Amino acid sequence: MRILLSNDDGYLAPGLACLAKALVQVAQVDVVAPERDRSGASNSLTLTHPLRAQKAGNGFYFVDGTPTDCVHLAITGLLEQEPDIVIAGINRGANLGDDVIYSGTVAAAMEGRFLGLPAIAVSLAGKAGAHFETAAQVTLRLLEKLKPESLPADTILNVNVPDVPVERLAGFEATRLGHRHKAEPVIRTSDPHGNPVYWVGAPGAESDAGPGTDFHAIRNHFVSITPLHVDLTRYTALDQVSAWLRKI
Amino acid sequence: MRILLSNDDGYLAPGLACLAKALVQVAQVDVVAPERDRSGASNSLTLTHPLRAQKAGNGFYFVDGTPTDCVHLAITGLLEQEPDIVIAGINRGANLGDDVIYSGTVAAAMEGRFLGLPAIAVSLAGKAGAHFETAAQVTLRLLEKLKPESLPADTILNVNVPDVPVERLAGFEATRLGHRHKAEPVIRTSDPHGNPVYWVGAPGAESDAGPGTDFHAIRNHFVSITPLHVDLTRYTALDQVSAWLRKI
Amino acid sequence: MRILLSNDDGYLAPGLACLAKALVQVAQVDVVAPERDRSGASNSLTLTHPLRAQKAGNGFYFVDGTPTDCVHLAITGLLEQEPDIVIAGINRGANLGDDVIYSGTVAAAMEGRFLGLPAIAVSLAGKAGAHFETAAQVTLRLLEKLKPESLPADTILNVNVPDVPVERLAGFEATRLGHRHKAEPVIRTSDPHGNPVYWVGAPGAESDAGPGTDFHAIRNHFVSITPLHVDLTRYTALDQVSAWLRKI
Amino acid sequence: MRILLSNDDGYLAPGLACLAKALVQVAQVDVVAPERDRSGASNSLTLTHPLRAQKAGNGFYFVDGTPTDCVHLAITGLLEQEPDIVIAGINRGANLGDDVIYSGTVAAAMEGRFLGLPAIAVSLAGKAGAHFETAAQVTLRLLEKLKPESLPADTILNVNVPDVPVERLAGFEATRLGHRHKAEPVIRTSDPHGNPVYWVGAPGAESDAGPGTDFHAIRNHFVSITPLHVDLTRYTALDQVSAWLRKI
């Protein structure tokens, strides 16, 4: 098996190193990751200027672009052999609920799917980042059992792992994304010249976080596995829109 | 009605001006848009540093951030009154098929939805940008007839308008996103110092572009209206993942 | 006469428009300026990726780069005819004393000089920007009388104009750069996540600002004109360094 | 002695590591360097948003800003104790002749001088970067013999070291900056969408590179030491400008 590994925390992030070390036990691993922390980059793709890829001392490629750029570049020309699967992570911090839309980790996996490959995003649900090893073990176990080719072609797996020792995991759970309340207000402050500047405020509190959601699984120390679309069409609303357009 | 208008081409873009001019006939319009072209920004949100908002001579706010930043900032603190709806556009160029995931225009609408508001992304399907007026008229007509509150809470509308005079429109069609073949390879070239650099290659050719898709509608001069999720959970795959996890 | 006009406040800045309007009365004027505010860019030159130049509705070129990039690009290939002189400005705010080293306006002029042309940087010494017209009139008067070719080849003129009506100017004065006390400490604050961030503090107070300095001239409503090197060699220290190296 | 060490190639650059290793033998060393390669940043200073400083595993601080930002932040608040001297380098590649104005390495040293400290910029004159150790030894030797306090207050030393083994150095030479011919034209090419983009062209060939210049010293395997102003006033042109202003 040949794995393309990327992330959004940058090629020097400990979560990336930890996962790379685990994966080389079972596969050929190519690492192509951003030069610096690009958390929050979402699916942004660089079209305005060309990208550079350099090889670090440890054999990882680093690219002056987004996570999406890294995966795109790797698969469409940088690597000599196409990977069998794309894995993004281990992200430092959870990617749960509504927040996945902003995530560079999830975006890296999505880009793999767009380019025809099975893809998994792996996040460690704890800013402390104490137990990357747990997430690495979980990923190995998923890879061992997973038949990625059996997943629908436009689906990726969003895996969140509790930040606890592996023996304290409660199990695995298939989940849906939970939801948050509206974000907190922006924080208005001033620069030293007295001009107003605005920090994006904190995410809203969890509002839909009961059993079945990824929030709930993590809170109870389950590994949360959420299948995500890469086709954004809301098929169930098509009839409603059609009906409504007939009146225009 | 109070409308928040944004885009990803920047606050000086002709498509934005054209739509603002049309909308003020029917609503209070606040414009908050990026300082410069941020096409391809997707849903990226700026968390690493604070944002600035300035008011241009024409009353538009411009922000040194992404489209998502603009909508987030506007709704969570910059504007005195909350809007009733968020409209993003008129984008110069189509946002069809797989490409919507990269779009800053679609992301601006999504951010509105995350913050609790109905939202529409409007794009003119032609790089020439000859008929923004057509897209503006279409938007007015949708607003007149649309009961946005009747759409599911986690849905936005992705509207693409053919770049033709309004009288040449063939009608309106509810569509699903089409799909493209895998993207073209990156284009490897050199900088003047002989170092390799890589341009992201062209999108793949249309592969799933038959009747019912947005590609097909536009090709036939229909206004294409695609309902999009903002909840990325692939519900139909949940059982499959659950079954599969029982074996782990 | 053919003038290349640039600035660091961006191609939409009122100071640029005001000066362009004045200069077209006496010369062919090409404007090539940054896409957005690049104050503080100093002489930075973009080598890592290619630049784009677009033409705005008013005929100004705007470039996605620094002031130095703009002048470099204009002279080495963008413009069909080489200019006779490079003018940068009118900057909103003074460029006096030690601060000139950070200035994108001064850097734009320097780049002109490096490329073989006489060059002038023009700044309005007042953040209010009330009297750009005064600085425009001053520039015209300098151009009328100036024989730029008579200046030494490695010299540019740094012109600061008091922000007062033209009839309140006290005259013209050749000045040296004044000096400031050490800058104020950085301002340590926190982002919304509790992480420390640092704003660069205010410039130091004027310390060497007596008669003969640019600070003094401006304070007394004189137009301050300071000749600046573009050759940074400190010739007067060469003997000292030589003597000292003999002991190594 | 307490040394502040910075650079413009980024905190992971081998030239920085090599010099840090040498300097700790003789002094307390604080390293504060940019997060990524910022070559060509010149003296640009970040005023529009706050900076972040993080500590890497090896004790180096890295900052999401320019070389000038790093030195400014370090001296005006980040470090608990003020350094006695600022050293920037070892840069990968020469900083000779007219190019010093663009250099982030030279700018880092200048910023130290502005803030009241003696300062030295050290560059290895060879892109191969084969002999950083030579430049480190040269720096140690300069520090041993140098009385930086005896240099004029507005002077820094720009040191370029041939990329050869230390035993092949021909000696030390006090030099002036040489000059180049005008830069080569920009290289016009196209992005994949057919839009024109422009690469800044190569520097001009050496034109003033005879005995006494830094170009000449390096070519002959001498360590080149050029004293540079940080006061840009061209004093020798003041009379000329004064005379000329009397006619206005």
Side-chain angles (χ1 to χ4, degrees):
Chain A
M1 185 164 51
R2 186 168 276 274
I3 296 173
L4 170 61
L5 179 62
S6 191
N7 77 345
D8 74 351
D9 291 333
Y11 80 105
L12 295 168
L16 183 73
C18 177
L19 189 49
K21 198 175 147 201
L23 293 176
V24 292
Q25 301 166 27
V26 302
Q28 296 282 343
V29 180
D30 293 304
V31 180
V32 184
E35 179 186 36
R36 59 192 173 96
D37 187 354
R38 297 301 296 261
S39 299
S42 189
N43 304 76
S44 69
L45 183 67
T46 302
L47 299 174
T48 52
H49 60 262
L51 301 166
R52 286 168 196 273
Q54 292 179 267
K55 212 166 194 164
N58 63 358
F60 292 8
Y61 281 102
F62 58 98
V63 173
D64 59 340
T66 65
T68 297
D69 290 334
C70 291
V71 172
H72 192 100
L73 175 56
I75 298 179
T76 66
L78 182 66
L79 300 181
E80 289 186 13
Q81 282 190 263
E82 183 160 293
D84 301 301
I85 186 169
V86 175
I87 301 183
I90 305 165
N91 192 60
R92 185 189 201 102
N95 278 306
L96 299 169
D98 301 327
D99 300 343
V100 298
I101 201 75
Y102 307 116
S103 165
T105 308
V106 173
M110 275 193 189
E111 188 66 16
R113 210 16 148 174
F114 272 122
L115 295 168
L117 299 171
I120 302 177
V122 183
S123 304
L124 185 67
K127 270 293 170 197
H131 300 281
F132 283 120
E133 189 55 39
T134 301
Q137 292 311 314
V138 162
T139 308
L140 279 182
R141 194 140 154 224
L142 288 174
L143 278 180
E144 196 186 335
K145 300 289 182 182
L146 175 64
K147 300 259 183 305
E149 61 280 14
S150 65
L151 280 175
D154 54 358
T155 301
I156 64 166
L157 294 183
N158 184 40
V159 179
N160 281 271
V161 181
D163 192 4
V164 298
V166 73
E167 62 274 14
R168 292 194 43 217
L169 289 179
F172 288 74
E173 190 180 338
T175 57
R176 65 177 175 86
L177 297 175
H179 296 289
R180 294 184 179 281
H181 286 287
K182 187 178 157 182
E184 296 295 314
V186 288
I187 295 163
R188 185 186 155 122
T189 176
S190 291
D191 72 13
H193 306 281
N195 302 311
V197 296
Y198 302 85
W199 288 97
V200 168
E206 299 171 3
S207 71
D208 168 15
T213 66
D214 50 359
F215 288 133
H216 188 267
I218 288 296
R219 210 181 308 119
N220 291 283
H221 288 194
F222 280 81
V223 174
S224 163
I225 302 187
T226 311
L228 302 182
H229 311 271
V230 298
D231 177 347
L232 298 185
T233 309
R234 185 175 174 83
Y235 287 92
T236 56
L238 272 173
D239 286 349
Q240 183 180 2
V241 173
S242 286
W244 175 71
L245 288 179
R246 278 192 291 273
K247 295 184 226 153
I248 288 193
Chain B
M1 185 165 51
R2 186 169 277 271
I3 296 173
L4 169 61
L5 179 61
S6 191
N7 77 344
D8 75 350
D9 291 334
Y11 79 105
L12 294 168
L16 183 74
C18 176
L19 187 50
K21 197 175 148 201
L23 293 176
V24 293
Q25 300 166 27
V26 302
Q28 296 282 340
V29 180
D30 293 304
V31 180
V32 184
E35 180 186 35
R36 59 194 172 94
D37 186 354
R38 296 302 295 261
S39 300
S42 188
N43 303 77
S44 69
L45 182 68
T46 300
L47 299 173
T48 51
H49 59 262
L51 301 166
R52 288 167 195 274
Q54 292 178 268
K55 213 166 193 166
N58 62 357
F60 291 8
Y61 281 102
F62 58 98
V63 173
D64 59 342
T66 65
T68 296
D69 290 335
C70 291
V71 172
H72 192 100
L73 175 56
I75 298 179
T76 66
L78 182 67
L79 300 181
E80 290 186 12
Q81 282 190 262
E82 184 160 292
D84 301 302
I85 187 170
V86 175
I87 302 182
I90 305 167
N91 191 61
R92 183 188 203 101
N95 277 306
L96 299 169
D98 302 326
D99 301 342
V100 298
I101 201 75
Y102 308 115
S103 166
T105 308
V106 172
M110 276 193 188
E111 188 66 16
R113 207 21 145 171
F114 273 121
L115 295 168
L117 299 172
I120 302 177
V122 183
S123 303
L124 186 67
K127 271 292 169 196
H131 299 283
F132 283 120
E133 189 53 39
T134 301
Q137 291 312 313
V138 162
T139 309
L140 280 182
R141 193 138 154 226
L142 287 174
L143 279 180
E144 195 186 336
K145 300 289 182 179
L146 175 63
K147 299 261 183 303
E149 62 280 13
S150 65
L151 279 175
D154 53 359
T155 302
I156 64 167
L157 295 183
N158 185 39
V159 179
N160 280 272
V161 181
D163 192 5
V164 299
V166 72
E167 62 274 15
R168 293 196 40 218
L169 290 179
F172 288 74
E173 189 179 339
T175 56
R176 65 178 175 86
L177 298 175
H179 296 288
R180 293 185 180 280
H181 287 286
K182 188 178 156 182
E184 296 295 314
V186 288
I187 296 163
R188 186 186 156 121
T189 176
S190 292
D191 73 12
H193 305 281
N195 302 310
V197 296
Y198 303 85
W199 288 98
V200 168
E206 299 171 3
S207 71
D208 169 15
T213 66
D214 51 359
F215 288 133
H216 187 268
I218 288 297
R219 208 180 310 119
N220 290 283
H221 288 193
F222 280 81
V223 174
S224 164
I225 302 188
T226 312
L228 301 182
H229 310 273
V230 297
D231 177 348
L232 298 186
T233 309
R234 185 175 174 84
Y235 288 93
T236 55
L238 272 174
D239 285 348
Q240 182 180 4
V241 173
S242 287
W244 174 72
L245 288 178
R246 276 191 292 272
K247 295 183 229 155
I248 286 194
Chain C
M1 185 164 52
R2 186 169 277 271
I3 296 173
L4 170 60
L5 180 62
S6 191
N7 78 344
D8 75 350
D9 291 333
Y11 79 105
L12 294 168
L16 183 74
C18 176
L19 187 51
K21 196 174 150 202
L23 293 176
V24 293
Q25 300 166 28
V26 302
Q28 298 281 342
V29 180
D30 294 304
V31 180
V32 184
E35 181 186 33
R36 58 193 173 97
D37 186 354
R38 296 302 295 260
S39 299
S42 187
N43 304 78
S44 69
L45 183 67
T46 300
L47 299 175
T48 51
H49 59 261
L51 302 166
R52 287 168 196 273
Q54 292 179 267
K55 212 166 193 167
N58 63 357
F60 291 9
Y61 281 102
F62 58 98
V63 173
D64 59 341
T66 65
T68 296
D69 290 334
C70 291
V71 172
H72 192 100
L73 176 57
I75 297 180
T76 67
L78 183 67
L79 301 181
E80 290 186 11
Q81 282 190 263
E82 184 161 291
D84 300 302
I85 186 169
V86 175
I87 302 182
I90 303 167
N91 191 61
R92 183 188 203 103
N95 278 305
L96 299 169
D98 302 326
D99 301 342
V100 298
I101 201 75
Y102 308 116
S103 165
T105 309
V106 171
M110 277 193 188
E111 189 66 17
R113 209 18 148 174
F114 272 121
L115 295 168
L117 299 171
I120 301 177
V122 183
S123 303
L124 186 67
K127 270 292 169 196
H131 298 283
F132 283 119
E133 189 54 39
T134 301
Q137 292 312 311
V138 162
T139 308
L140 279 182
R141 194 139 155 225
L142 287 174
L143 279 180
E144 193 185 337
K145 299 290 183 181
L146 175 65
K147 298 262 182 306
E149 62 281 11
S150 66
L151 280 175
D154 54 0
T155 302
I156 65 166
L157 295 182
N158 184 40
V159 178
N160 281 271
V161 180
D163 192 4
V164 299
V166 71
E167 62 274 14
R168 292 195 41 217
L169 289 180
F172 288 74
E173 190 180 339
T175 56
R176 64 178 175 86
L177 297 175
H179 296 289
R180 294 185 179 279
H181 286 287
K182 188 180 156 180
E184 295 296 314
V186 287
I187 296 162
R188 186 186 155 121
T189 176
S190 291
D191 72 14
H193 306 280
N195 302 310
V197 296
Y198 302 86
W199 288 98
V200 168
E206 298 171 3
S207 72
D208 168 15
T213 67
D214 50 359
F215 288 132
H216 187 268
I218 288 296
R219 207 181 310 118
N220 291 281
H221 288 193
F222 280 81
V223 174
S224 164
I225 302 187
T226 311
L228 302 181
H229 311 271
V230 297
D231 177 347
L232 298 185
T233 309
R234 185 175 175 83
Y235 288 93
T236 56
L238 272 174
D239 286 348
Q240 183 181 1
V241 173
S242 287
W244 175 72
L245 288 178
R246 276 192 292 273
K247 295 184 230 154
I248 286 192
Chain D
M1 183 165 52
R2 187 168 275 274
I3 296 173
L4 169 61
L5 179 62
S6 191
N7 78 344
D8 74 351
D9 290 333
Y11 79 106
L12 295 167
L16 183 74
C18 177
L19 188 50
K21 197 176 149 200
L23 293 176
V24 293
Q25 300 167 28
V26 301
Q28 297 282 340
V29 180
D30 294 304
V31 180
V32 184
E35 179 185 36
R36 59 193 172 97
D37 186 354
R38 298 300 297 260
S39 299
S42 189
N43 304 76
S44 69
L45 183 67
T46 301
L47 300 174
T48 51
H49 60 263
L51 301 167
R52 288 167 196 273
Q54 293 178 267
K55 212 166 193 164
N58 62 358
F60 292 8
Y61 281 102
F62 58 96
V63 173
D64 59 340
T66 65
T68 296
D69 290 334
C70 291
V71 172
H72 192 101
L73 175 57
I75 298 180
T76 67
L78 182 67
L79 300 181
E80 290 186 10
Q81 282 190 264
E82 184 161 293
D84 300 303
I85 187 169
V86 175
I87 302 183
I90 305 168
N91 190 62
R92 184 188 203 101
N95 277 306
L96 299 169
D98 301 327
D99 300 342
V100 298
I101 200 75
Y102 307 116
S103 166
T105 308
V106 171
M110 276 193 186
E111 188 66 17
R113 210 15 148 176
F114 273 122
L115 294 168
L117 299 171
I120 302 177
V122 184
S123 303
L124 185 67
K127 271 292 171 197
H131 299 282
F132 283 120
E133 189 54 38
T134 301
Q137 292 311 313
V138 161
T139 308
L140 280 182
R141 195 141 155 224
L142 287 175
L143 279 180
E144 195 186 335
K145 299 289 182 181
L146 176 64
K147 300 261 184 304
E149 62 280 13
S150 66
L151 280 175
D154 53 358
T155 301
I156 65 166
L157 294 183
N158 184 40
V159 178
N160 281 271
V161 180
D163 192 4
V164 298
V166 71
E167 63 272 16
R168 292 195 43 215
L169 290 180
F172 288 74
E173 190 179 339
T175 57
R176 64 177 177 86
L177 297 175
H179 296 288
R180 293 185 180 279
H181 286 287
K182 187 178 157 180
E184 295 296 314
V186 287
I187 296 163
R188 184 186 156 122
T189 177
S190 291
D191 72 14
H193 306 280
N195 302 310
V197 297
Y198 303 85
W199 288 98
V200 168
E206 299 171 4
S207 72
D208 168 15
T213 65
D214 50 359
F215 288 132
H216 187 267
I218 288 295
R219 208 181 308 120
N220 291 282
H221 288 193
F222 280 81
V223 175
S224 165
I225 302 187
T226 311
L228 301 181
H229 310 271
V230 297
D231 176 348
L232 297 185
T233 310
R234 185 176 174 83
Y235 287 93
T236 55
L238 272 173
D239 285 350
Q240 182 181 2
V241 173
S242 287
W244 174 73
L245 288 178
R246 276 191 293 274
K247 294 184 227 153
I248 286 192

